Amino acid sequence: MTTETETNWLDEEVGIVTAQLRDLKAEMVRLQARARNGDMAAAKEAQKTVAEVRTFLARAAETEARLAEIKGRHGGARGYALDLDGARVAIRCRLDRLRRCHGAG
């Protein structure tokens, strides 16, 4: 599996999880309305739905962490940072060499 394929797959997974969470949220709203109207079966269904939401939230967090790790390993948006200290040192060394070469004090 290439990085691009893996990233595309994970992006797709994030989309799927997001859609499933939206559906579960809508279901919870319906169950809450039924429970307010005295439907006791709605309370049982709500417990199941809450368990599903927890599962999907864990899955979403896991997928997101994996996606960030892959993008980071392969130079994705969050995968690199500028090493300003290293750049400063390199520039100073070059400037010092230039001064020595040209006899500047």
Side-chain angles (χ1 to χ4, degrees):
M1 192 178 260
T2 66
T3 303
E4 185 177 331
T5 304
E6 196 170 23
T7 301
N8 289 342
W9 176 80
L10 286 169
D11 284 336
E12 188 177 306
E13 281 290 302
V14 169
I16 290 168
V17 170
T18 302
Q20 289 171 333
L21 285 172
R22 264 191 236 119
D23 292 346
L24 288 170
K25 179 181 173 187
E27 185 177 337
M28 285 298 296
V29 169
R30 284 190 301 274
L31 290 172
Q32 285 175 337
R34 285 175 48 199
R36 280 190 208 110
N37 292 329
D39 186 350
M40 296 310 289
K44 265 189 170 178
E45 289 179 48
Q47 287 177 338
K48 274 188 194 174
T49 303
V50 167
E52 288 179 34
V53 168
R54 286 188 181 126
T55 300
F56 284 117
L57 286 174
R59 185 174 168 206
E62 194 176 285
T63 302
E64 187 177 9
R66 188 165 174 210
L67 181 60
E69 176 190 329
I70 289 169
K71 285 183 177 181
R73 260 195 330 241
H74 299 286
R78 294 178 247 167
Y80 64 90
L82 294 175
D83 181 6
L84 297 178
D85 290 329
R88 239 181 252 113
V89 169
I91 290 169
R92 284 185 188 135
C93 289
R94 290 179 186 143
L95 288 172
D96 287 343
R97 281 193 298 259
L98 282 172
R99 285 188 196 107
R100 281 193 302 264
C101 286
H102 295 291

